[in-house]
Amino acid sequence: MTLTPNRHVKTIATVCLSGTLDDKLVAAAHAGFDGIELFEPDLVASTSSPAEVRKRCEELGLDIVLYQPFRDLDSTDREQFERNLIRLDRKFDVMAELGVDLILVCSNASGDAVADIDELAAQLRAAGELAERRGMRIAYEALAWGRTVDLWQQSWEAVRRADHPAVGLCLDSFHILSRSSTMSELADVPGDKIFFLQLADAPHKDMDVLQWSRHYRLFPGEGAFDLVAFTAAVLDAGYRGPLSLEVFNDVFRQSSPVRTAIDAVRSLGALEAGLDHALPRQRFDVAFVELSVTPTNLTTAEHALSALGFAPSATHRTKKVTAWTQHDVTILVTVVTDAAEDDSTAIAAIGFDTEDPTGFAATAEGLNVAALPRVVRPGEADLPAVAAPDGVSVFFVSAERAELDWRRDFDVESPAGVAADAGLTAIDHVSVTAPFDRYDESVLFYRSVLGMRTEEVAEYPGPYGLVRSHLLRAPQPSGFGVALDGPLLRRGKWTPGVQTPQHIAFLTDDIVAALGALPADAPILRIPDNYYVDLQARLDLTDEFVDRIRRLNILYDRSADGEYLHAYTAVIGSQVYFEIVERRGDYRGRPLADAPVRMAAHVAARRAKAHF
Amino acid sequence: MTLTPNRHVKTIATVCLSGTLDDKLVAAAHAGFDGIELFEPDLVASTSSPAEVRKRCEELGLDIVLYQPFRDLDSTDREQFERNLIRLDRKFDVMAELGVDLILVCSNASGDAVADIDELAAQLRAAGELAERRGMRIAYEALAWGRTVDLWQQSWEAVRRADHPAVGLCLDSFHILSRSSTMSELADVPGDKIFFLQLADAPHKDMDVLQWSRHYRLFPGEGAFDLVAFTAAVLDAGYRGPLSLEVFNDVFRQSSPVRTAIDAVRSLGALEAGLDHALPRQRFDVAFVELSVTPTNLTTAEHALSALGFAPSATHRTKKVTAWTQHDVTILVTVVTDAAEDDSTAIAAIGFDTEDPTGFAATAEGLNVAALPRVVRPGEADLPAVAAPDGVSVFFVSAERAELDWRRDFDVESPAGVAADAGLTAIDHVSVTAPFDRYDESVLFYRSVLGMRTEEVAEYPGPYGLVRSHLLRAPQPSGFGVALDGPLLRRGKWTPGVQTPQHIAFLTDDIVAALGALPADAPILRIPDNYYVDLQARLDLTDEFVDRIRRLNILYDRSADGEYLHAYTAVIGSQVYFEIVERRGDYRGRPLADAPVRMAAHVAARRAKAHF
């Protein structure tokens, strides 16, 4: 695969980024954007004059491609419309100083919006004439909550009838896709009448469209819209301007603008790759998951793995790393001595085995994902690796290419130690807590760099607050999942729970057999009886079945498509635990109603321990 | 005025509070609740058996008054309904162990909901017969998003036709007021058929009612609903059960449960006081606002006050406190040496002058507001004071009662120093940043303890994130305002701005004269030219007017009712600045569109200073 990251001019609206105008410009330039849409309130609050902003943008290599927004141009009150034209003319003064010739005019959302399409076209034409005299152009956009014009087809009809060279269309993916508007008529729009294209993704939300737009927009590839199909339709219609991002998002408004800008440019890179069918489609398997533990936690971790049927299979020649294996599952246990806390544990890395490790790494690099710096000793494998936004290191390896085989630096041990196979055959998913400011960036990372797809988006209550969950899964046959579980609101001071839990969910074909055969001291989490009483009432299960899973501390859920049986271990050190999962039939997602029970049980276990 | 806090039994649903079930029970008991509604998921996740929960509640002096919720009882599928009855019977087992005899059944929100009112009544009657055999009762509630029953009138019609002694009504203020249902028909409902009353307030939200209900409910008095009128109607109908809170709120789920429970019990106390017309209606004036400064900031603060026309008028006899006065405005400047940071400044206290200081203090105490511990030396005034949830100390004083006159401990200075009166005659409002977890508690505090009313609720963008604003105002003639300005989302690491700004807004009759007469070195915040260019285009103002306010760094807004002209000082120390305000006509609220300009200007001033 190849990425052609410079195929389109890429720009970003200043409103997408946190900080003062200068913070935003520096961030956009640093991330490699070609230009910006200047959001008027950012200019109004700036201590720099328009001429100074122009100069600053030139220094930074940024074009100003659009001035926005101009609201409520048309009016049923003719005198008001004349005043609006004067207002527009004053904005042209500012634009001339800035050196930008395109202004966004959005459809009127107030009481005096013109409903008559010919009158609206006439007013747009009058504005176009004014613009032409000033050497300016107008991109007219249908707001999803416009009063008389709220569909792109209506805005096009107004532009078509205005029939003026200085009046064209602005298409905004949010306003169009939030209304589920059809795009088929776009083929009839001349490409050169599409003056501007604004891109934003969004999650599905059952709410007022204005609030949805102003608080929850996302960069392309982070939400639920099909931006590839949308952009392809606009490009097919002949649009040749920039791909520009306009995202209003409560979290991005608070996040480091440099980091957000890099995420933003990545979203356009992934969109371009999607347009070129260049995103990863290769298969991969999970070669290993690496667990980092402190010396304090090593025994606990080894005991848990051993109790779950893992056995040491290889030892690193120079580092304190041991591979624990069962069937095709390998957990690397790395002892670290520089952890922040004595009891730190973490899912440090995931290794993906693929035919083309360097291809994956090149995709990541093309998407502005930072490669991880590595210290490689002579003779050691130099494995390409990148940092996922959630803090996990992602390695690309290949068992079929000696120089990219992670086992190259390990002494493989005799398999004599493999005594207690518990039938754990694969990893169903790994769950990590994405940092609050990087949650959506994490979704984009797994989708774009690894080609994973969303299986389930949900919220569930925990004892210390609501949790949002986004489960991504690799295509079959790997089917490997990554679940991003994080607080819906950033945590406050009252959060006695584990704030950033992580876990690995192992698959088995027979959880009852697997749990039944575990040694007596396996650190399986005790599930309270109340859960089983409720379960039986809810799902009308037999006494025999409920008794069996109750004795083994197995949780259970049933959907129309299948069943999900699972059990947990205690938390090892600061934040890591294991799950054992049996999926029956075609159960999709995870039984999130069980999560609060698991969390409360972990709290109870921790408190009981604290009493000793 | 008198509060009769024990007039009604007060209970709270466990879902209102953060933590494990035991955390919730301890918090509810500590706050003085009489009992709880047991939210089933809290029991299911608990490691305590129902009998143990019962015992724990007995130890804590809590009655379990309701078990909830039971969903989807009725069904168009007769076999499903029979299974639902078995499920109900199993819940009765649990309830018998818990020692609670009332279960909440909410209207069916799924596809098999019964639409035929007689069939629904028949199914409720069958459930009622089962309940009666078990010594239980059913409180049937119309969910606002129920499929066939979504209005309380429908739920009443079903209960009426069911005509069974074990089947009554549950009224939930959210489900009723969110749908703007009328309450007039309630007079026809026999009081003893209203089995339960759940109370929740909520802010106005233009969103899906289910999401609104599950994320944004508030305690009575914290939102926009008229809970006093609602509760009065239910009591007038003859309801004699507990006043019970059922609030789903994202922030409360994350907050200290003890603190939340105290806020919750206060909300019911204020509601009872409202029912008794016992909330404060006395007038008060603002006697003083106290500013605490470090020795480092003292000169800056004194310079600012002096430049704004204040002069020292009194000095505390034993403490480092100076009163600065202009017309009726007094600012106490207190030098503290134990501040967290060298440049700490804070609005430490507000003194309210009233005819009945001890009455206000008694109201506060009756509402579980902690009195402030005070060290009073012999002969010093012992002024009643309480802690507002936003960290400000609230003093109740009286100039007409020597022992409660704050000036008692001050040596009044000669007014000779009063040279530079700038025409600042009153305080329009004080703005503070309420702690994220206590924002809604703060609203309730000012409403209930001081009888203030909401003037404006809004959101505005700042350079580092969205800000929510709630402006409360005392009745005329004081008209004193408190604005709670806080981040919409809890701040993350990228927040270079002042995180908890506070300011005092002084009123003047003539801001142009006031600003024009200030000394040249008055620390007035410079407003960028871009603001004035935009202002002129937006509001079609004359060159002359705009030039005049531009030279004086005055910001301007106009509404249908009046005008608002204002200017700011630089930030003094860590977080405090001053605003000078002229209101013309009947301008309501504040010009929040100016806030981002002010914030960016403060950032620019701070950065410029950092360069020296």
Side-chain angles (χ1 to χ4, degrees):
Chain A
M1 61 146 294
T2 48
L3 289 172
T4 51
N6 295 316
R7 201 176 126 193
H8 299 96
V9 170
K10 297 190 188 69
T11 60
I12 185 167
T14 52
V15 74
C16 304
L17 301 171
S18 184
T20 62
L21 181 55
D22 199 62
D23 294 329
K24 295 165 188 245
L25 298 180
V26 167
H30 179 83
F33 277 100
D34 302 302
I36 55 150
E37 300 176 27
L38 186 52
F39 184 60
E40 183 173 77
D42 285 326
L43 178 69
V44 168
S46 173
T47 50
S48 304
S49 70
E52 287 166 343
V53 171
R54 175 187 196 154
K55 187 159 166 288
R56 182 68 170 142
C57 285
E58 284 169 2
E59 286 167 8
L60 291 167
L62 293 170
D63 277 339
I64 307 177
V65 295
L66 182 76
Y67 188 78
Q68 62 113 324
F70 188 90
R71 298 186 196 280
D72 304 343
L73 169 68
D74 55 292
S75 179
T76 49
D77 174 348
R78 197 69 209 185
E79 284 180 23
Q80 182 61 50
F81 176 64
E82 292 301 327
R83 284 195 295 276
N84 293 345
L85 284 183
I86 293 168
R87 178 161 59 95
L88 183 63
D89 204 31
R90 291 196 168 153
K91 295 302 168 188
F92 288 155
D93 296 341
V94 173
M95 289 167 63
E97 247 196 282
L98 286 166
V100 53
D101 73 347
L102 186 64
I103 189 167
L104 173 74
V105 171
C106 45
S107 62
N108 193 333
S110 71
D112 67 342
V114 172
D116 181 87
I117 188 77
D118 285 314
E119 174 61 19
L120 178 59
Q123 294 193 5
L124 280 178
R125 193 180 315 118
E129 275 161 26
L130 172 62
E132 193 172 34
R133 282 200 299 279
R134 302 293 308 265
M136 302 287 171
R137 294 179 308 137
I138 290 168
Y140 181 63
E141 172 189 71
L143 290 181
W145 54 90
R147 191 152 169 128
T148 57
V149 172
D150 59 1
L151 296 172
W152 80 262
Q153 292 91 339
Q154 297 168 318
S155 60
W156 165 238
E157 193 54 29
V159 165
R160 194 183 68 77
R161 295 192 192 202
D163 191 24
H164 193 282
V167 178
L169 210 52
C170 175
L171 297 175
D172 178 306
S173 63
F174 181 86
H175 291 299
I176 295 169
L177 299 176
S178 66
R179 303 289 307 271
S180 305
S181 297
T182 57
M183 297 294 288
S184 54
E185 306 95 321
L186 199 63
D188 302 330
V189 178
D192 61 3
K193 291 304 278 186
I194 308 173
F195 282 7
F196 208 74
L197 172 63
Q198 292 180 312
L199 296 170
D201 204 341
H204 289 303
K205 289 267 176 194
D206 193 1
M207 67 188 302
D208 174 62
V209 68
L210 188 150
Q211 297 299 326
W212 185 19
S213 173
R214 292 211 176 147
H215 295 272
Y216 297 102
R217 287 187 180 208
L218 293 169
F219 295 122
E222 296 179 349
F225 292 163
D226 185 349
L227 269 297
V228 171
F230 175 84
T231 308
V234 179
L235 295 173
D236 285 350
Y239 174 71
R240 292 296 172 266
L243 301 185
S244 198
L245 298 168
E246 191 196 28
V247 168
F248 305 85
N249 180 291
D250 291 0
V251 176
F252 299 162
R253 281 181 187 276
Q254 289 196 344
S255 311
S256 154
V258 170
R259 181 106 202 173
T260 307
I262 291 171
D263 180 36
V265 87
R266 179 180 307 143
S267 79
L268 288 180
L271 177 66
E272 284 181 324
L275 291 166
D276 294 345
H277 309 287
L279 280 180
R281 300 210 179 279
Q282 304 106 305
R283 354 172 347 173
F284 60 74
D285 289 312
V286 176
F288 62 82
V289 174
E290 181 185 4
L291 208 62
S292 71
V293 302
T294 57
T296 316
N297 289 318
L298 180 60
T299 311
T300 313
E302 288 182 339
H303 172 67
L305 286 169
S306 174
L308 294 185
F310 287 86
S313 64
T315 311
H316 197 280
R317 286 196 199 96
T318 55
K319 299 176 187 160
K320 287 206 167 184
V321 187
T322 305
W324 291 71
T325 301
Q326 179 171 186
H327 294 277
D328 291 335
V329 183
T330 295
I331 305 297
L332 301 184
V333 177
T334 299
V335 181
V336 294
T337 49
D338 57 352
E341 304 288 341
D342 263 0
D343 72 339
S344 288
T345 50
I347 294 178
I350 305 176
F352 292 100
D353 189 285
T354 148
E355 285 179 11
D356 184 16
T358 47
F360 270 98
T363 301
E365 195 186 342
L367 293 170
N368 285 38
V369 174
L372 277 175
R374 298 189 302 284
V375 180
V376 181
R377 301 181 195 210
E380 281 187 0
D382 182 12
L383 307 175
V386 297
D390 53 32
V392 173
S393 299
V394 169
F395 283 83
F396 299 106
V397 303
S398 176
E400 294 179 7
R401 292 165 60 182
E403 77 285 8
L404 295 176
D405 186 347
W406 66 270
R407 288 167 302 192
R408 180 185 166 132
D409 303 327
F410 282 73
D411 284 325
V412 177
E413 297 182 10
S414 124
V418 185
D421 175 350
L424 309 186
T425 55
I427 294 176
D428 184 78
H429 64 276
V430 162
S431 159
V432 291
T433 305
F436 191 83
D437 286 350
R438 302 189 194 166
Y439 192 95
D440 302 297
E441 181 186 344
S442 299
V443 171
L444 177 61
F445 174 86
Y446 288 105
R447 285 179 174 173
S448 60
V449 173
L450 290 164
M452 298 173 85
R453 302 282 174 81
T454 293
E455 178 169 313
E456 183 180 49
V457 175
E459 285 172 18
Y460 56 91
Y464 305 117
L466 293 176
V467 180
R468 62 189 292 210
S469 162
H470 195 127
L471 175 62
L472 298 126
R473 209 172 273 289
Q476 292 300 330
S478 150
F480 174 74
V482 169
L484 302 166
D485 290 291
L488 193 67
L489 282 180
R490 205 190 299 273
R491 295 283 191 220
K493 285 178 188 160
W494 159 259
T495 48
V498 171
Q499 295 211 16
T500 54
Q502 301 181 323
H503 82 268
I504 307 173
F506 301 115
L507 267 180
T508 176
D509 293 335
D510 186 345
I511 193 170
V512 171
L515 271 283
L518 294 191
D521 64 350
I524 296 298
L525 182 68
R526 168 134 167 59
I527 302 302
D529 280 351
N530 297 344
Y531 171 80
Y532 296 99
V533 173
D534 177 67
L535 183 70
Q536 189 158 18
R538 271 196 293 127
L539 299 184
D540 200 20
L541 302 165
T542 66
D543 290 350
E544 187 198 348
F545 178 77
V546 172
D547 279 351
R548 193 182 321 136
I549 65 173
R550 182 204 316 248
R551 269 184 286 112
L552 296 169
N553 292 293
I554 294 171
L555 299 105
Y556 176 83
D557 191 38
R558 191 172 66 200
S559 72
D561 303 316
E563 296 160 286
Y564 190 108
L565 296 91
H566 57 140
Y568 294 94
T569 69
V571 176
I572 297 161
S574 60
Q575 60 179 7
V576 176
Y577 58 94
F578 302 122
E579 180 181 5
I580 300 156
V581 177
E582 179 187 345
R583 287 178 184 271
R584 295 180 182 169
D586 190 29
Y587 187 102
R588 308 282 288 169
R590 300 182 297 162
L592 297 177
D594 288 346
V597 177
R598 192 272 305 158
M599 285 188 266
H602 269 145
V603 173
R606 200 162 50 249
R607 287 185 177 168
K609 208 167 144 190
H611 282 289
F612 285 113
Chain B
M1 61 146 293
T2 49
L3 288 173
T4 52
N6 296 318
R7 199 176 127 193
H8 298 97
V9 170
K10 296 189 189 70
T11 59
I12 185 167
T14 52
V15 74
C16 304
L17 302 171
S18 184
T20 61
L21 180 56
D22 198 63
D23 294 328
K24 295 165 189 246
L25 298 180
V26 167
H30 178 84
F33 278 100
D34 302 302
I36 56 149
E37 300 177 27
L38 186 54
F39 183 60
E40 182 173 78
D42 285 326
L43 177 69
V44 168
S46 172
T47 50
S48 304
S49 71
E52 287 164 345
V53 171
R54 174 188 198 154
K55 185 158 167 290
R56 182 68 170 142
C57 286
E58 283 168 4
E59 285 168 9
L60 291 167
L62 294 170
D63 277 340
I64 307 176
V65 294
L66 182 75
Y67 188 77
Q68 62 116 325
F70 188 90
R71 298 186 195 280
D72 304 343
L73 169 68
D74 53 293
S75 178
T76 50
D77 173 348
R78 198 71 209 181
E79 284 181 23
Q80 181 61 48
F81 175 65
E82 292 302 329
R83 283 195 295 273
N84 293 344
L85 284 183
I86 294 170
R87 177 161 61 94
L88 182 63
D89 204 32
R90 290 196 166 152
K91 295 303 167 189
F92 289 154
D93 295 341
V94 173
M95 289 166 62
E97 250 197 279
L98 286 166
V100 53
D101 73 346
L102 188 63
I103 188 166
L104 172 73
V105 171
C106 45
S107 62
N108 193 333
S110 70
D112 67 341
V114 172
D116 181 85
I117 189 75
D118 285 312
E119 173 61 18
L120 177 58
Q123 294 193 4
L124 280 178
R125 192 180 315 119
E129 275 161 25
L130 172 62
E132 194 172 33
R133 283 199 299 277
R134 302 293 309 265
M136 303 286 170
R137 294 179 309 137
I138 290 168
Y140 181 63
E141 171 188 72
L143 289 182
W145 54 91
R147 189 153 172 129
T148 58
V149 171
D150 58 1
L151 296 170
W152 80 263
Q153 291 91 341
Q154 296 169 318
S155 60
W156 165 237
E157 192 54 29
V159 166
R160 194 183 68 76
R161 295 192 191 203
D163 190 25
H164 193 282
V167 178
L169 210 51
C170 174
L171 297 175
D172 178 307
S173 63
F174 180 87
H175 291 300
I176 294 169
L177 299 176
S178 67
R179 302 289 307 269
S180 305
S181 295
T182 58
M183 297 294 290
S184 54
E185 306 96 321
L186 199 62
D188 303 330
V189 178
D192 61 2
K193 290 305 278 186
I194 308 174
F195 282 7
F196 208 75
L197 172 62
Q198 292 180 311
L199 295 170
D201 203 341
H204 289 304
K205 289 268 175 192
D206 193 0
M207 67 189 301
D208 174 64
V209 68
L210 187 149
Q211 297 300 324
W212 186 17
S213 172
R214 293 212 175 145
H215 295 273
Y216 296 102
R217 288 187 180 209
L218 293 169
F219 296 122
E222 296 179 349
F225 292 163
D226 186 349
L227 269 297
V228 171
F230 174 85
T231 308
V234 179
L235 294 174
D236 285 349
Y239 174 71
R240 292 296 172 265
L243 301 185
S244 197
L245 299 167
E246 189 196 31
V247 167
F248 304 86
N249 180 289
D250 291 0
V251 176
F252 300 162
R253 282 181 188 275
Q254 289 196 343
S255 311
S256 154
V258 171
R259 181 105 204 173
T260 307
I262 291 171
D263 181 36
V265 88
R266 179 179 307 142
S267 78
L268 288 180
L271 176 67
E272 283 181 323
L275 290 167
D276 294 345
H277 308 287
L279 279 181
R281 301 211 179 276
Q282 305 106 306
R283 14 177 321 184
F284 60 73
D285 289 312
V286 175
F288 62 81
V289 174
E290 181 185 4
L291 208 61
S292 70
V293 302
T294 57
T296 316
N297 289 318
L298 180 60
T299 312
T300 313
E302 290 183 339
H303 173 66
L305 286 169
S306 174
L308 293 185
F310 288 86
S313 64
T315 309
H316 197 281
R317 286 197 199 92
T318 55
K319 297 175 188 162
K320 288 208 166 184
V321 187
T322 305
W324 290 72
T325 300
Q326 179 171 187
H327 295 276
D328 292 335
V329 183
T330 295
I331 306 297
L332 300 185
V333 178
T334 299
V335 181
V336 295
T337 49
D338 57 350
E341 303 288 342
D342 263 359
D343 71 339
S344 287
T345 51
I347 294 179
I350 305 176
F352 293 100
D353 189 286
T354 150
E355 287 178 10
D356 185 13
T358 47
F360 270 98
T363 302
E365 196 185 341
L367 293 170
N368 286 38
V369 175
L372 276 177
R374 297 189 301 285
V375 180
V376 180
R377 302 181 194 211
E380 280 187 1
D382 183 10
L383 307 175
V386 297
D390 52 33
V392 173
S393 299
V394 168
F395 284 84
F396 299 106
V397 303
S398 175
E400 296 178 7
R401 291 166 61 181
E403 78 282 11
L404 294 175
D405 186 347
W406 66 270
R407 287 167 303 192
R408 179 184 166 132
D409 303 328
F410 281 74
D411 285 324
V412 176
E413 297 183 10
S414 122
V418 184
D421 176 350
L424 309 187
T425 56
I427 294 176
D428 184 78
H429 64 275
V430 162
S431 158
V432 292
T433 304
F436 191 84
D437 286 351
R438 301 189 193 166
Y439 192 95
D440 301 297
E441 180 185 344
S442 300
V443 171
L444 177 61
F445 174 87
Y446 288 105
R447 286 179 175 173
S448 60
V449 173
L450 290 163
M452 298 173 83
R453 302 282 174 82
T454 293
E455 178 169 312
E456 182 181 50
V457 175
E459 285 172 18
Y460 56 91
Y464 306 116
L466 293 176
V467 180
R468 65 189 290 209
S469 162
H470 196 126
L471 175 62
L472 298 127
R473 208 172 274 286
Q476 290 302 331
S478 149
F480 174 74
V482 170
L484 302 166
D485 291 291
L488 192 69
L489 280 182
R490 203 190 299 274
R491 296 283 191 218
K493 285 178 188 161
W494 159 256
T495 50
V498 171
Q499 294 209 17
T500 55
Q502 300 181 322
H503 82 268
I504 307 173
F506 300 116
L507 267 180
T508 176
D509 294 335
D510 186 345
I511 192 171
V512 170
L515 271 283
L518 293 191
D521 64 349
I524 296 297
L525 182 68
R526 167 131 171 61
I527 302 302
D529 281 351
N530 296 344
Y531 171 79
Y532 296 99
V533 173
D534 176 66
L535 182 70
Q536 189 158 18
R538 270 195 292 128
L539 299 184
D540 201 19
L541 302 166
T542 66
D543 289 350
E544 189 199 347
F545 177 78
V546 172
D547 279 350
R548 192 181 321 135
I549 64 172
R550 182 205 314 249
R551 267 184 285 114
L552 296 170
N553 292 293
I554 293 170
L555 299 105
Y556 177 83
D557 191 37
R558 191 172 66 200
S559 72
D561 303 316
E563 296 160 286
Y564 190 107
L565 296 91
H566 57 141
Y568 294 95
T569 68
V571 175
I572 297 160
S574 60
Q575 59 180 6
V576 176
Y577 58 93
F578 302 123
E579 181 181 4
I580 300 157
V581 177
E582 178 187 345
R583 286 176 185 272
R584 296 180 181 170
D586 191 29
Y587 187 101
R588 309 282 288 170
R590 300 182 298 162
L592 297 177
D594 289 346
V597 177
R598 191 272 304 157
M599 286 189 263
H602 269 145
V603 173
R606 199 160 54 249
R607 285 185 179 168
K609 209 167 144 190
H611 281 290
F612 285 113

